[in-house]
Short mmCIF file of all heavy atoms in Angstrom, two decimals:
data_model
loop_
_atom_site.label_atom_id
_atom_site.label_comp_id
_atom_site.label_asym_id
_atom_site.label_seq_id
_atom_site.Cartn_x
_atom_site.Cartn_y
_atom_site.Cartn_z
N LEU A 3 0.82 -1.18 0.01
CA LEU A 3 -0.01 0.01 -0.01
C LEU A 3 0.82 1.25 -0.03
O LEU A 3 1.79 1.40 0.80
CB LEU A 3 -0.92 -0.03 1.24
CG LEU A 3 -2.13 0.83 1.21
CD1 LEU A 3 -3.07 0.41 0.05
CD2 LEU A 3 -2.90 0.72 2.52
N LYS A 4 0.55 2.19 -0.92
CA LYS A 4 1.38 3.40 -1.07
C LYS A 4 0.68 4.56 -0.38
O LYS A 4 -0.42 4.42 0.20
CB LYS A 4 1.58 3.68 -2.54
CG LYS A 4 2.30 2.61 -3.28
CD LYS A 4 2.43 2.95 -4.80
CE LYS A 4 3.13 1.84 -5.50
NZ LYS A 4 3.29 2.10 -6.99
N GLU A 5 1.36 5.70 -0.45
CA GLU A 5 0.71 6.93 0.12
C GLU A 5 -0.57 7.27 -0.64
O GLU A 5 -0.75 6.87 -1.84
CB GLU A 5 1.70 8.09 0.03
CG GLU A 5 2.94 7.91 0.88
CD GLU A 5 2.65 7.86 2.37
OE1 GLU A 5 1.72 8.59 2.80
OE2 GLU A 5 3.32 7.11 3.10
N GLY A 6 -1.38 8.02 -0.01
CA GLY A 6 -2.62 8.42 -0.70
C GLY A 6 -3.84 7.63 -0.25
O GLY A 6 -3.74 6.81 0.70
N CYS A 7 -4.97 7.80 -0.86
CA CYS A 7 -6.19 7.10 -0.54
C CYS A 7 -6.13 5.66 -1.01
O CYS A 7 -5.91 5.45 -2.24
CB CYS A 7 -7.38 7.81 -1.11
SG CYS A 7 -8.95 6.96 -0.80
N PRO A 8 -6.30 4.63 -0.17
CA PRO A 8 -6.21 3.28 -0.64
C PRO A 8 -7.33 2.87 -1.61
O PRO A 8 -7.25 1.86 -2.31
CB PRO A 8 -6.32 2.46 0.63
CG PRO A 8 -7.04 3.37 1.63
CD PRO A 8 -6.60 4.75 1.28
N PHE A 9 -8.40 3.66 -1.66
CA PHE A 9 -9.53 3.37 -2.56
C PHE A 9 -9.30 3.96 -3.95
O PHE A 9 -10.12 3.77 -4.85
CB PHE A 9 -10.83 3.87 -2.00
CG PHE A 9 -12.07 3.39 -2.67
CD1 PHE A 9 -12.40 2.06 -2.78
CD2 PHE A 9 -12.90 4.32 -3.34
CE1 PHE A 9 -13.50 1.61 -3.47
CE2 PHE A 9 -14.07 3.92 -4.00
CZ PHE A 9 -14.35 2.53 -4.07
N ALA A 10 -8.18 4.72 -4.16
CA ALA A 10 -8.03 5.47 -5.40
C ALA A 10 -8.03 4.59 -6.62
O ALA A 10 -8.54 5.03 -7.71
CB ALA A 10 -6.69 6.24 -5.29
N ASN A 11 -7.48 3.36 -6.55
CA ASN A 11 -7.44 2.55 -7.77
C ASN A 11 -8.76 1.94 -8.16
O ASN A 11 -8.93 1.37 -9.26
CB ASN A 11 -6.42 1.35 -7.53
CG ASN A 11 -6.92 0.38 -6.47
OD1 ASN A 11 -7.52 0.80 -5.49
ND2 ASN A 11 -6.65 -0.89 -6.64
N ARG A 12 -9.83 2.17 -7.34
CA ARG A 12 -11.12 1.65 -7.63
C ARG A 12 -12.18 2.75 -7.79
O ARG A 12 -13.34 2.51 -8.05
CB ARG A 12 -11.58 0.67 -6.60
CG ARG A 12 -10.66 -0.48 -6.28
CD ARG A 12 -11.07 -1.32 -5.11
NE ARG A 12 -12.21 -2.12 -5.40
CZ ARG A 12 -12.86 -2.95 -4.52
NH1 ARG A 12 -12.43 -2.94 -3.24
NH2 ARG A 12 -13.88 -3.66 -4.85
N CYS A 13 -11.77 3.95 -7.55
CA CYS A 13 -12.71 5.06 -7.42
C CYS A 13 -12.95 5.79 -8.77
O CYS A 13 -12.02 6.12 -9.49
CB CYS A 13 -12.10 6.09 -6.43
SG CYS A 13 -13.27 7.48 -6.09
N GLU A 14 -14.23 6.02 -9.09
CA GLU A 14 -14.61 6.73 -10.29
C GLU A 14 -14.37 8.25 -10.19
O GLU A 14 -14.30 8.95 -11.23
CB GLU A 14 -16.08 6.47 -10.62
CG GLU A 14 -16.41 5.02 -10.89
CD GLU A 14 -17.90 4.80 -11.16
OE1 GLU A 14 -18.67 5.78 -11.03
OE2 GLU A 14 -18.27 3.64 -11.47
N ASN A 15 -14.19 8.71 -8.97
CA ASN A 15 -14.04 10.20 -8.74
C ASN A 15 -12.57 10.52 -8.38
O ASN A 15 -12.32 11.61 -7.80
CB ASN A 15 -14.96 10.66 -7.66
CG ASN A 15 -16.39 10.37 -7.93
OD1 ASN A 15 -16.80 10.38 -9.08
ND2 ASN A 15 -17.16 10.16 -6.88
N VAL A 16 -11.61 9.70 -8.79
CA VAL A 16 -10.23 9.90 -8.34
C VAL A 16 -9.65 11.20 -8.95
O VAL A 16 -9.92 11.56 -10.10
CB VAL A 16 -9.37 8.70 -8.74
CG1 VAL A 16 -9.30 8.53 -10.24
CG2 VAL A 16 -7.99 8.81 -8.10
N LYS A 17 -8.88 11.92 -8.10
CA LYS A 17 -8.18 13.13 -8.51
C LYS A 17 -6.72 12.97 -8.23
O LYS A 17 -6.29 12.01 -7.52
CB LYS A 17 -8.78 14.37 -7.79
CG LYS A 17 -10.27 14.57 -8.09
CD LYS A 17 -10.88 15.56 -7.16
CE LYS A 17 -10.38 16.95 -7.40
NZ LYS A 17 -11.10 17.95 -6.61
N LYS A 18 -5.92 13.91 -8.65
CA LYS A 18 -4.47 13.84 -8.51
C LYS A 18 -4.05 13.73 -7.02
O LYS A 18 -3.20 12.89 -6.65
CB LYS A 18 -3.79 15.03 -9.16
CG LYS A 18 -2.29 14.97 -9.15
CD LYS A 18 -1.71 16.19 -9.86
CE LYS A 18 -0.18 16.14 -9.85
NZ LYS A 18 0.45 17.31 -10.53
N GLU A 19 -4.71 14.57 -6.15
CA GLU A 19 -4.33 14.51 -4.78
C GLU A 19 -4.67 13.19 -4.06
O GLU A 19 -4.13 12.86 -3.02
CB GLU A 19 -4.95 15.67 -4.01
CG GLU A 19 -6.45 15.71 -4.08
CD GLU A 19 -6.95 16.67 -5.12
OE1 GLU A 19 -6.37 16.72 -6.20
OE2 GLU A 19 -7.95 17.37 -4.85
N CYS A 20 -5.63 12.42 -4.63
CA CYS A 20 -6.01 11.14 -4.07
C CYS A 20 -4.81 10.16 -4.07
O CYS A 20 -4.76 9.22 -3.27
CB CYS A 20 -7.15 10.55 -4.81
SG CYS A 20 -8.63 11.58 -4.86
N LEU A 21 -3.92 10.33 -5.05
CA LEU A 21 -2.81 9.43 -5.23
C LEU A 21 -1.63 9.76 -4.32
O LEU A 21 -0.70 8.95 -4.19
CB LEU A 21 -2.38 9.41 -6.71
CG LEU A 21 -3.43 9.05 -7.70
CD1 LEU A 21 -2.89 9.23 -9.13
CD2 LEU A 21 -3.92 7.60 -7.50
N SER A 22 -1.62 10.99 -3.77
CA SER A 22 -0.40 11.43 -3.02
C SER A 22 -0.64 11.57 -1.53
O SER A 22 0.35 11.54 -0.79
CB SER A 22 0.08 12.78 -3.64
OG SER A 22 -0.98 13.73 -3.57
N SER A 23 -1.86 11.78 -1.07
CA SER A 23 -2.06 12.02 0.35
C SER A 23 -3.41 11.44 0.83
O SER A 23 -4.39 11.44 0.07
CB SER A 23 -2.03 13.51 0.69
OG SER A 23 -3.10 14.17 0.04
N PHE A 24 -3.42 10.92 2.04
CA PHE A 24 -4.65 10.39 2.56
C PHE A 24 -5.48 11.57 3.07
O PHE A 24 -4.98 12.49 3.74
CB PHE A 24 -4.37 9.44 3.78
CG PHE A 24 -5.61 8.74 4.27
CD1 PHE A 24 -6.08 7.61 3.66
CD2 PHE A 24 -6.40 9.25 5.33
CE1 PHE A 24 -7.25 6.99 4.06
CE2 PHE A 24 -7.57 8.63 5.77
CZ PHE A 24 -7.95 7.47 5.11
N PRO A 25 -6.77 11.66 2.70
CA PRO A 25 -7.57 12.83 3.00
C PRO A 25 -7.80 12.97 4.53
O PRO A 25 -7.94 11.98 5.22
CB PRO A 25 -8.88 12.55 2.28
CG PRO A 25 -8.96 11.04 2.12
CD PRO A 25 -7.52 10.63 1.92
N GLU A 26 -7.86 14.22 4.99
CA GLU A 26 -8.17 14.50 6.33
C GLU A 26 -9.65 14.21 6.60
O GLU A 26 -10.45 14.10 5.67
CB GLU A 26 -7.84 15.97 6.68
CG GLU A 26 -6.39 16.33 6.62
CD GLU A 26 -6.12 17.74 7.09
OE1 GLU A 26 -6.72 18.15 8.08
OE2 GLU A 26 -5.32 18.40 6.45
N ILE A 27 -10.01 14.18 7.90
CA ILE A 27 -11.42 13.97 8.26
C ILE A 27 -12.18 15.26 8.05
O ILE A 27 -11.78 16.34 8.47
CB ILE A 27 -11.51 13.51 9.74
CG1 ILE A 27 -10.85 12.18 9.95
CG2 ILE A 27 -13.00 13.47 10.18
CD1 ILE A 27 -10.77 11.79 11.43
N THR A 28 -13.30 15.12 7.33
CA THR A 28 -14.22 16.24 7.18
C THR A 28 -15.50 15.90 7.94
O THR A 28 -16.11 14.80 7.75
CB THR A 28 -14.59 16.44 5.69
OG1 THR A 28 -13.40 16.73 4.96
CG2 THR A 28 -15.57 17.56 5.52
N ARG A 29 -15.91 16.79 8.82
CA ARG A 29 -17.12 16.56 9.60
C ARG A 29 -18.22 17.50 9.11
O ARG A 29 -18.05 18.69 9.10
CB ARG A 29 -16.85 16.81 11.13
CG ARG A 29 -18.06 16.63 12.00
CD ARG A 29 -17.68 16.70 13.42
NE ARG A 29 -16.86 15.52 13.79
CZ ARG A 29 -16.07 15.51 14.88
NH1 ARG A 29 -15.95 16.55 15.62
NH2 ARG A 29 -15.34 14.39 15.15
N ILE A 30 -19.28 16.92 8.59
CA ILE A 30 -20.41 17.77 8.05
C ILE A 30 -21.55 17.95 9.03
O ILE A 30 -22.43 18.74 8.82
CB ILE A 30 -20.89 17.19 6.72
CG1 ILE A 30 -21.38 15.74 6.91
CG2 ILE A 30 -19.85 17.27 5.65
CD1 ILE A 30 -22.01 15.18 5.62
N SER A 31 -21.53 17.15 10.12
CA SER A 31 -22.48 17.32 11.24
C SER A 31 -21.88 16.63 12.45
O SER A 31 -20.81 16.03 12.38
CB SER A 31 -23.86 16.71 10.86
OG SER A 31 -23.79 15.30 10.89
N GLU A 32 -22.56 16.79 13.57
CA GLU A 32 -22.05 16.18 14.79
C GLU A 32 -21.94 14.69 14.70
O GLU A 32 -21.06 14.08 15.32
CB GLU A 32 -22.98 16.53 15.97
CG GLU A 32 -22.49 16.06 17.31
CD GLU A 32 -23.44 16.46 18.42
OE1 GLU A 32 -24.34 17.27 18.22
OE2 GLU A 32 -23.23 15.94 19.55
N ASN A 33 -22.75 14.06 13.82
CA ASN A 33 -22.76 12.56 13.74
C ASN A 33 -22.34 12.07 12.35
O ASN A 33 -22.60 10.90 12.09
CB ASN A 33 -24.19 12.10 14.02
CG ASN A 33 -24.58 12.40 15.50
OD1 ASN A 33 -23.85 12.15 16.39
ND2 ASN A 33 -25.80 12.94 15.63
N HIS A 34 -21.74 12.90 11.50
CA HIS A 34 -21.39 12.43 10.19
C HIS A 34 -20.04 13.00 9.80
O HIS A 34 -19.80 14.20 9.74
CB HIS A 34 -22.42 12.86 9.16
CG HIS A 34 -22.33 12.18 7.84
ND1 HIS A 34 -23.27 12.31 6.81
CD2 HIS A 34 -21.40 11.30 7.35
CE1 HIS A 34 -22.92 11.59 5.77
NE2 HIS A 34 -21.79 10.98 6.08
N GLU A 35 -19.07 12.08 9.52
CA GLU A 35 -17.76 12.48 9.07
C GLU A 35 -17.24 11.51 8.07
O GLU A 35 -17.66 10.35 8.00
CB GLU A 35 -16.76 12.56 10.24
CG GLU A 35 -16.56 11.24 11.00
CD GLU A 35 -15.69 11.36 12.19
OE1 GLU A 35 -15.73 12.39 12.92
OE2 GLU A 35 -14.87 10.43 12.43
N PHE A 36 -16.27 11.95 7.21
CA PHE A 36 -15.73 11.07 6.18
C PHE A 36 -14.31 11.56 5.84
O PHE A 36 -13.94 12.68 6.20
CB PHE A 36 -16.64 11.09 4.92
CG PHE A 36 -16.80 12.43 4.25
CD1 PHE A 36 -15.89 12.88 3.28
CD2 PHE A 36 -17.80 13.29 4.66
CE1 PHE A 36 -16.04 14.08 2.73
CE2 PHE A 36 -17.98 14.53 4.04
CZ PHE A 36 -17.08 14.92 3.05
N SER A 37 -13.56 10.71 5.13
CA SER A 37 -12.23 11.09 4.66
C SER A 37 -12.16 10.83 3.16
O SER A 37 -12.05 9.72 2.68
CB SER A 37 -11.17 10.22 5.38
OG SER A 37 -11.17 10.47 6.74
N CYS A 38 -12.32 11.95 2.37
CA CYS A 38 -12.29 11.83 0.97
C CYS A 38 -11.98 13.20 0.34
O CYS A 38 -12.48 14.22 0.78
CB CYS A 38 -13.66 11.37 0.45
SG CYS A 38 -13.74 11.16 -1.33
N HIS A 39 -11.04 13.21 -0.66
CA HIS A 39 -10.70 14.47 -1.34
C HIS A 39 -11.83 14.89 -2.26
O HIS A 39 -11.98 16.13 -2.48
CB HIS A 39 -9.43 14.25 -2.17
CG HIS A 39 -8.18 14.09 -1.37
ND1 HIS A 39 -7.76 15.14 -0.48
CD2 HIS A 39 -7.26 13.12 -1.27
CE1 HIS A 39 -6.62 14.73 0.03
NE2 HIS A 39 -6.32 13.55 -0.35
N ASN A 40 -12.60 13.95 -2.78
CA ASN A 40 -13.60 14.28 -3.79
C ASN A 40 -14.91 13.55 -3.48
O ASN A 40 -15.27 12.59 -4.15
CB ASN A 40 -13.13 13.89 -5.19
CG ASN A 40 -13.98 14.46 -6.25
OD1 ASN A 40 -14.65 15.47 -6.11
ND2 ASN A 40 -13.97 13.79 -7.40
N PRO A 41 -15.61 13.97 -2.40
CA PRO A 41 -16.80 13.22 -1.96
C PRO A 41 -17.93 13.30 -2.94
O PRO A 41 -17.96 14.14 -3.83
CB PRO A 41 -17.12 13.90 -0.63
CG PRO A 41 -16.63 15.29 -0.75
CD PRO A 41 -15.33 15.13 -1.54
N VAL A 42 -18.87 12.38 -2.74
CA VAL A 42 -20.05 12.36 -3.57
C VAL A 42 -21.28 12.85 -2.83
O VAL A 42 -21.23 12.91 -1.60
CB VAL A 42 -20.33 10.91 -4.09
CG1 VAL A 42 -19.19 10.39 -4.95
CG2 VAL A 42 -20.56 9.96 -2.91
N THR A 43 -22.35 13.14 -3.54
CA THR A 43 -23.62 13.44 -2.92
C THR A 43 -24.35 12.09 -2.76
O THR A 43 -23.88 11.08 -3.25
CB THR A 43 -24.43 14.39 -3.78
OG1 THR A 43 -24.75 13.74 -5.02
CG2 THR A 43 -23.68 15.68 -4.05
N GLY A 44 -25.52 12.21 -2.14
CA GLY A 44 -26.33 10.95 -1.97
C GLY A 44 -26.72 10.32 -3.32
O GLY A 44 -26.93 9.15 -3.45
N SER A 45 -26.73 11.14 -4.40
CA SER A 45 -27.10 10.61 -5.69
C SER A 45 -25.95 9.98 -6.40
O SER A 45 -26.09 9.40 -7.50
CB SER A 45 -27.69 11.72 -6.56
OG SER A 45 -26.71 12.75 -6.74
N GLY A 46 -24.73 10.13 -5.84
CA GLY A 46 -23.54 9.52 -6.47
C GLY A 46 -22.78 10.52 -7.39
O GLY A 46 -21.86 10.09 -8.03
N ASP A 47 -23.14 11.78 -7.46
CA ASP A 47 -22.45 12.75 -8.26
C ASP A 47 -21.34 13.42 -7.48
O ASP A 47 -21.54 13.72 -6.26
CB ASP A 47 -23.41 13.81 -8.82
CG ASP A 47 -24.54 13.20 -9.64
OD1 ASP A 47 -24.19 12.24 -10.38
OD2 ASP A 47 -25.68 13.64 -9.54
N PRO A 48 -20.22 13.75 -8.06
CA PRO A 48 -19.15 14.49 -7.33
C PRO A 48 -19.70 15.80 -6.85
O PRO A 48 -20.54 16.45 -7.51
CB PRO A 48 -18.07 14.67 -8.40
CG PRO A 48 -18.32 13.62 -9.41
CD PRO A 48 -19.84 13.42 -9.45
#
């Protein structure tokens, strides 16, 4: 496993930074957090 997001090789939304660094935690509410450089909406769109 290399640096970057481990899901990058399977991700349809991969970007350059996904290959070089693991994303920090983003908290969008008190009970919801994720780690992704290019998150999706509930419909699956970037």
Side-chain angles (χ1 to χ4, degrees):
L3 201 60
K4 299 178 181 179
E5 295 296 324
C7 176
F9 190 63
N11 67 323
R12 306 174 73 183
C13 183
E14 297 178 356
N15 302 329
V16 64
K17 297 169 71 174
K18 185 177 180 180
E19 59 262 39
C20 303
L21 304 174
S22 59
S23 64
F24 189 83
E26 295 186 42
I27 296 172
T28 299
R29 181 171 290 160
I30 57 177
S31 72
E32 185 179 349
N33 296 313
H34 194 173
E35 63 184 37
F36 61 89
S37 296
C38 183
H39 288 300
N40 191 26
V42 297
T43 65
S45 60
D47 299 321

